[in-house]
Amino acid sequence: MAVPSRPPSQGGADLALEIGIDDPGASDIVALVQAHLAEMHGQSPLEHVHAMEPEALRADGVQFYSARCAGELVAIGALKLVGPGHVEIKSMRTADRWRRRGAGACMLAHLLEVARAQGYKRVSLETGTKEYFAPARALYAKAGFVPCAPFASYTDNPYSVCMTMELF
């Protein structure tokens, strides 16, 4: 089901985004996921890149969403089951031309809304420690995420930071 969203954009205008479940195998999504993977591999050593391949985004326990504006792919994000009452945000990515316009914040808000509606009590994520990841860390902190110990199969290492938030 698509949910209309109107995040703020540069210049004071609004973007009309439709966010809903989508097929991670769609060609435009595969292209964005591949660009995301390439960028992550350029930022972190192979063993510390935790972004998911398109096929993995179709696995049981993963809910994949896209945000579109007039049919154009703007952003993607997924929820992956970690354990009872606990999901992880995966594959958050905004298309380059849509960055810094509120689409990522809108996708994050949607994922948190879905997690709450489905009764999850905790949402966690892993992101990078380099300066490149500072905007993502700031977005998550603004939404209420706080640093936490590694969860699931993540490890304590100089390339990753884990964050979490309790849902009420």
Side-chain angles (χ1 to χ4, degrees), residues 78-79 87-92 108 111-112 123-125 145:
L79 293 173
V87 289
E88 177 184 3
I89 292 178
K90 295 295 293 182
S91 299
M92 278 274 300
L108 179 59
L111 294 173
L112 293 173
V123 179
S124 301
L125 60 91
F145 284 85

Side-chain angles (χ1 to χ4, degrees), residues 46-58:
L46 178 62
E47 65 273 16
H48 296 293
V49 173
H50 303 290
M52 296 174 75
E53 295 282 345
E55 196 55 41
L57 292 165
R58 289 180 160 168

Side-chain angles (χ1 to χ4, degrees), residues 32-51:
L32 185 56
V33 171
Q34 293 299 339
H36 179 62
L37 287 164
E39 214 164 85
M40 295 306 97
H41 285 284
Q43 295 296 321
S44 302
L46 178 62
E47 65 273 16
H48 296 293
V49 173
H50 303 290

Side-chain angles (χ1 to χ4, degrees), residues 18-154:
E18 295 288 327
I19 301 178
I21 295 279
D22 208 336
D23 176 10
S27 61
D28 58 349
I29 292 172
V30 169
L32 185 56
V33 171
Q34 293 299 339
H36 179 62
L37 287 164
E39 214 164 85
M40 295 306 97
H41 285 284
Q43 295 296 321
S44 302
L46 178 62
E47 65 273 16
H48 296 293
V49 173
H50 303 290
M52 296 174 75
E53 295 282 345
E55 196 55 41
L57 292 165
R58 289 180 160 168
D60 289 340
V62 177
Q63 301 171 60
F64 181 82
Y65 297 87
S66 71
R68 294 179 180 275
C69 182
E72 181 182 346
L73 183 62
V74 172
I76 57 173
L79 293 173
K80 179 182 176 188
L81 183 63
V82 174
H86 186 193
V87 289
E88 177 184 3
I89 292 178
K90 295 295 293 182
S91 299
M92 278 274 300
R93 174 68 182 217
T94 300
D96 289 346
R97 84 178 205 91
W98 294 95
R99 286 185 173 180
R100 310 278 190 274
R101 296 173 66 184
C106 192
M107 176 59 78
L108 179 59
H110 180 78
L111 294 173
L112 293 173
E113 182 180 308
V114 168
R116 278 188 188 94
Q118 293 178 356
Y120 292 103
K121 303 297 181 208
R122 181 176 172 202
V123 179
S124 301
L125 60 91
E126 178 275 340
T127 191
T129 58
K130 284 186 169 182
E131 184 61 27
Y132 169 86
F133 297 99
R137 291 191 309 269
L139 172 67
Y140 298 132
K142 185 176 180 182
F145 284 85
V146 295
C148 67
F151 62 95
S153 63
Y154 296 111

